[in-house]
Each structure stands twice: as C-alpha cells, then as structure tokens.
Amino acid sequence: MTSTLRKSEHALQWQAALAAANNITEKWNQPGEPGGAMTLFDSRSLQGHASGGLSNLTTGERFSIDSVVRYASVTKHIFAALALYHSDAGLSLNDTLGQYLPQLKAPMSQVTIGQALDMTGGLPDVRETLSLLGVSVYAASEPDAILEFLAQSGGLNFPAGTEISYSNTGYRLVEAILNSKGILFETLLQQHIARPLDIALHAPESWFDVVPGLVPGYWKDKSVWKTTSAGLHLSASGSLTGSLRSLTVWLQSLLANSGPGAGMLEKLTVQRHLHGDIRSAYGVGITAVQIGSHNVYGHGGSHAGYKAYFLLHPQLNAGIALVSNREDTAAYSAALQVMAALLDSPLPTRSNAIPDGLYASVAEPYWLKVNQGVASYLGADESLYQGADKDEAISLSAHMPMRLRWDGDAIKGEIGHAVRQFVPVEPNDCLEMVQGGWFHPESKAAFDIEGDQFVMGVGPLRSRGTLTSLGQGRLLVEMPDGPWQKSFCLYFQGYNVRLVSNRSRVLNFRRALCLQLP
C-alpha cells in the first residue's frame, strides 16, 4: 500500500477520506490477490492516494495509480463529450437515431440521441440480449454484425421516455453514427484529450487488442483467481483504457473547467427529464447523487475483472476516483464511503423495511427478490437505504432509482420512475405444462426445459439453470454466465414465451413442435 497527503482545504476532510480509502485498499493486501487504487484530488493537485493488492498475479507487481486498466463505463461521459461537442458531426440531443442509421426500424429508430445517452431510450442491451440467446460472454463479435442484429427487430424494453434503465446500446449506436461519417472515437480521444493533457488513454475495439501496459482483470472461481476475457466488441460504451493517474488528470480538467474539460461538466450534467417532466438524476454519461446536503456527480464502470468509479463535487473543487482489477470490488459503495468521509456527511442508514422474500407483479413479467437489505429487480442488485422515514426504502442509484414501501400485503412504489407493485410469489404448476423445446426463429437460438432445469447450448457447451415458479405462467431462471450469475424470467403466453431481464426484455421464443413422420 502507498499513501500521500497534502494540506487540507476549506471544510473538506482530506485526512478522514484518505483513512477511508486506505481502509478499502488495505483489504486487498492478501497474498496472491489482485487489487486496486484510489485518488483524492482537487483541480490543482493530488491530495492523496492509496493502493493495495497486485496488478499482475504472474509477475507479483504491486498495483499503483499508474497501473493501466479498463475504465469500462466510465468511458461514457468522455465519449459523450467528444461525440456531442468535439466531433463536428452536428449531432443534437433531439435528433433521432433513425436520422443517421436508416437501417433501424421503429420504434428503435425513433429514440432520440438524448434518450439513447441518458438511459431512458428503452434500448435493449446487446450483451444481455446475446446472453439470453445463449451466446457466451467469451464469444467474439464484430460491430457491423451487432448493428445488423439490432436492426432486425427494432424492439424496445419499454416506450422511450417512460422509464430509466441502464443499457450500453445507446452509446454503441451513437458511435456507429460517428463511424458512418468517418469519425473514430480513438482519433477524437487523442486529438482533444490525451495529447493536450499528455496522458495515455486508448479506446481499443476489442478485448484482444494490444494495449501498452494493460494489467489483467481477475475473478474468483471458488477459491482460485482466474484471468478474465470478453468477446463482445467493446464500443464507446466502455472501451477506454488508462491508469488511475491519467483518469485523475482528466477529472481535474473537468473540475478546473479549463483545457479539454472546459464547459464539459456543466453540459454533461444538465437536467434530463422523462415524459411527464419527471426529473432524472442521470445526465449524459454522468449521474447525480446526494450525500447529505451535497450534490456530487460521477459514474462507474464494470467489465469482467475490472471496476471503476469517480465522484466529483464541483462546488467544493474536490473529487475521488477508484480503479480495480478484481471482480469482487464494490466500486460504488467504496466511492460513496470515501466521498462521505471527505464531506463529513454520513450516508443514509441502510434499510430493512422490505421483508426478505421473492415477489412478483400481477399479470406482468416483473419480479423483485429482497435479501438482507438488497433488492434485486429483474436480476440487478441495489442496496436499500432509509428514505423519507423508516418505512420507506430507497436506492442511491440514478439508473435504477427505487422508492418502495411494504404495507403488510404488498410492496408499492417506483422503480426506474415507473410505478410498480409486487406481492409475495404464489407458485403454481406452470412447470409441468412447458416441458420440451422452445426456439427463437430470427436467431435460430433454442432452449429446453427438462424437469426443473433450463438447458441451453450445444454439445459440451450446454449449460443448465435452476427454475423457480413466480406464479401466473412465469418461471425464474438462475444460471452462470462466465464470471457472473444471471437471472431472467420466462413469461409464458400460450405457445410463446418472453425472456425478461433487467436490460433485455424483447426476445420472444416459440414452442418447438416436432413433426412425427411415419
């Protein structure tokens, strides 16, 4: 572990924040384990940093703020800044995707660029959709084939502007618009940020591209650490690589409102709205979160084996950033802890107002699993905190805001700014009626239900998931997906079944009817 500290300024508690950062990184100092680092900074100087663990388990090199990692979705705000304000592509947030990508069908073609970038477009996430079709996280893909895949149906998870739900696809499609004009993300990055700030940033197209100094990412399989990989074309939704030091220099430019960062933070954090003038805490690649009386801005990133997060307080000229090369890093939680210490403003109390259990909506394919103050909505987890009173549970997530209450019979409230109500699951015998094969005509994907198991894949690559009844013709599937576990719902309606997960709700499979020949 390394740490440094400069003189405190104003009411900011740099010493307390550094202690909190050291507390987090020190836990990574276990023999033979990967790690990460954190920085604390203002617009002029690095106020402190902490690191722990290894950057490379093979060489034993220590992790430092100069270790090169994948920023993952921290990429989003940088891409948005370049695409909208430095690309000369003439893009407006009010333009529709179909204006530039005529191959897209409605309603996808009618989603605006603003909705594509602020997570209200309802665009199905490519990686999650491919996963539901049985495509491994390790399978390589190319951007043209992915664009063709998205253009096949044009379906949305929900009508644009009616909810907020995280998806990488909007950033992928806006990058495709730039590419159609001969404008490359990497070129913009070098011209407008990397060279002016004298930092090493790169935007590789695939996981397999050579990146100078890139350290491996790791995930823990039982008791053994393994290196990670991913085959999906990275896209501008999460392709950036660089060190924590380089990221910090860019973030200081944002705080200083000068150089490449001049005017960008104000533009990227401008208030966005859903239909009905509902205010969103998600801007354009940057989210807003309230810590006590303070409004701070930031974003996280998650690739297999890599985690990142940053938070900025422009009014107090302060920021923190974290990167890690281990899958189990709770980056958002860590960033909140350190920023709360810096501001001397405690986080809300964790909430257990919602009883543990499995819940589902009525006549809809939505479900909610609650376990010890963590709510999993359509397979995506959010920690619950106390809201306006002890009976209200909220999340601190801009892309999955939750506001829930338990009235003794049902959970009522909002998720993603959409009204939701859940009741305890009442299992039924749906499983007995859906045995056999189901297929997806457009992609030729297929799965089988064998007893109480969901089976998908071919030959030795067939994988199995467990099935749990959600009642009313719905089954919850839980199964491995590379270094992760995935959860999704099978929503049966006659000879059709819809596959529903948090980021993908557009796939419909049909029952496979075998023709018996004499």
Side-chain angles (χ1 to χ4, degrees):
M1 179 191 69
T2 62
S3 62
T4 64
L5 185 66
R6 294 184 183 272
K7 184 179 179 181
S8 175
E9 295 182 3
H10 309 296
L12 296 172
Q13 304 297 310
W14 294 110
Q15 184 72 50
L18 182 61
N22 278 325
N23 234 9
I24 292 165
T25 59
E26 179 64 34
K27 295 175 183 177
W28 297 330
N29 281 323
Q30 303 300 320
E33 292 203 0
M38 299 190 74
T39 54
L40 295 78
F41 53 88
D42 58 29
S43 62
R44 299 177 299 278
S45 59
L46 185 63
Q47 292 284 341
H49 64 87
S51 60
L54 303 179
S55 66
N56 191 308
L57 302 191
T58 301
T59 65
E61 183 178 354
R62 303 294 300 174
F63 203 105
S64 76
I65 63 172
D66 294 308
S67 299
V68 177
V69 297
R70 299 186 188 276
Y71 294 156
S73 287
V74 167
T75 302
K76 285 183 170 62
H77 79 285
I78 295 178
F79 171 73
L82 293 172
L84 295 172
Y85 307 111
H86 291 291
S87 70
D88 296 324
L91 303 183
S92 165
L93 292 174
N94 295 321
D95 294 342
T96 64
L97 296 174
Q99 286 178 233
Y100 302 97
L101 300 173
Q103 63 270 53
L104 297 182
K105 300 177 183 177
M108 186 179 291
S109 62
Q110 299 166 348
V111 173
T112 67
I113 288 177
Q115 291 169 331
L117 299 180
D118 71 10
M119 303 301 169
T120 66
L123 297 163
D125 185 80
V126 171
R127 169 86 280 278
E128 199 147 307
T129 303
L130 292 177
S131 176
L132 294 180
L133 291 173
V135 178
S136 167
V137 64
Y138 305 115
S141 59
E142 297 296 329
D144 289 345
I146 292 173
L147 184 57
E148 182 181 353
F149 171 71
L150 287 169
Q152 283 179 354
S153 70
L156 299 178
N157 289 340
F158 49 81
T162 62
E163 296 183 31
I164 185 167
S165 182
Y166 199 89
S167 172
N168 292 296
T169 299
Y171 287 77
R172 176 180 294 280
L173 291 175
V174 175
E175 183 181 26
I177 292 172
L178 294 190
N179 290 346
S180 72
K181 296 174 174 288
I183 303 171
L184 300 180
F185 181 26
E186 174 72 11
T187 302
L188 294 174
L189 179 69
Q190 300 307 320
Q191 179 181 352
H192 296 286
I193 295 179
R195 286 198 294 269
L197 292 177
D198 192 25
I199 55 178
L201 299 178
H202 293 285
E205 290 281 321
S206 82
W207 198 276
F208 313 108
D209 292 350
V210 175
V211 177
L214 180 65
V215 305
Y218 298 95
W219 68 288
K220 201 168 191 178
D221 183 13
K222 298 178 181 177
S223 61
V224 179
W225 287 100
K226 294 185 176 181
T227 55
T228 60
S229 67
L232 182 67
H233 170 258
L234 292 173
S235 90
S237 66
S239 58
L240 272 187
T241 63
S243 68
L244 179 56
R245 188 187 298 275
S246 292
L247 177 61
T248 300
V249 170
W250 158 251
L251 295 174
Q252 288 176 309
S253 177
L254 288 179
L255 281 178
N257 196 27
S258 65
M264 289 300 103
L265 196 55
E266 181 180 1
K267 291 177 179 177
L268 296 175
T269 58
V270 68
Q271 183 73 61
R272 302 288 298 168
H273 296 82
L274 288 77
H275 291 341
D277 206 31
I278 298 173
R279 295 162 64 93
S280 170
Y282 199 104
V284 180
I286 290 186
T287 68
V289 63
Q290 189 163 353
I291 301 178
S293 61
H294 299 273
N295 288 317
V296 297
Y297 302 92
H299 206 283
S302 176
H303 266 320
Y306 298 93
K307 298 291 180 284
Y309 218 99
F310 73 90
L311 289 171
L312 303 176
H313 195 314
Q315 285 73 33
L316 295 181
N317 185 30
I320 65 100
L322 172 154
V323 300
S324 164
N325 69 334
R326 51 188 296 156
E327 176 63 29
D328 62 357
T329 299
Y332 185 39
S333 174
L336 286 176
Q337 290 175 41
V338 175
M339 182 57 84
L342 179 62
L343 300 174
D344 191 23
S345 185
L347 296 172
T349 304
R350 289 293 300 273
S351 173
N352 286 295
I354 310 299
D356 287 358
L358 183 60
Y359 304 86
S361 55
V362 177
E364 293 175 320
Y366 307 129
W367 79 96
L368 185 74
K369 180 184 286 188
V370 181
N371 183 33
Q372 298 182 346
V374 176
S376 178
Y377 174 63
L378 307 186
D381 295 344
E382 289 291 341
S383 296
L384 296 177
Y385 297 84
Q386 183 174 308
D389 54 60
K390 64 180 180 62
D391 295 321
E392 183 180 62
I394 64 172
S395 73
L396 299 182
S397 168
H399 64 266
M400 195 187 291
M402 296 184 179
R403 192 169 296 276
L404 305 170
R405 290 180 182 273
W406 169 251
D407 68 3
D409 298 307
I411 300 170
K412 298 179 180 179
E414 295 181 353
I415 298 180
H417 298 299
V419 175
R420 292 283 182 260
Q421 179 172 324
F422 305 91
V423 296
V425 164
E426 295 183 5
N428 63 6
D429 60 357
C430 165
L431 188 58
E432 298 179 10
M433 298 179 285
V434 296
Q435 297 291 311
W438 299 80
F439 77 104
H440 185 251
E442 294 81 6
S443 69
K444 312 306 180 188
F447 67 83
D448 296 299
I449 294 180
E450 299 177 354
D452 62 354
Q453 296 209 316
F454 175 95
V455 187
M456 194 175 221
V458 296
L461 301 182
R462 281 175 73 77
S463 56
R464 294 178 176 270
T466 60
L467 293 168
T468 303
S469 173
L470 294 175
Q472 298 186 355
R474 300 165 301 189
L475 293 172
L476 176 62
V477 182
E478 296 175 293
M479 63 190 301
D481 182 25
W484 310 295
Q485 286 288 117
K486 65 181 178 183
S487 300
F488 57 96
C489 172
L490 302 177
Y491 184 38
F492 294 94
Q493 295 174 300
Y495 288 99
N496 296 292
V497 59
R498 182 177 167 199
L499 276 59
V500 179
S501 67
N502 180 54
R503 299 187 186 184
S504 180
R505 314 172 198 176
V506 296
L507 296 177
N508 289 285
F509 282 60
R510 301 176 186 172
R511 182 179 283 279
L513 301 176
C514 297
L515 179 63
Q516 299 295 324
L517 298 178

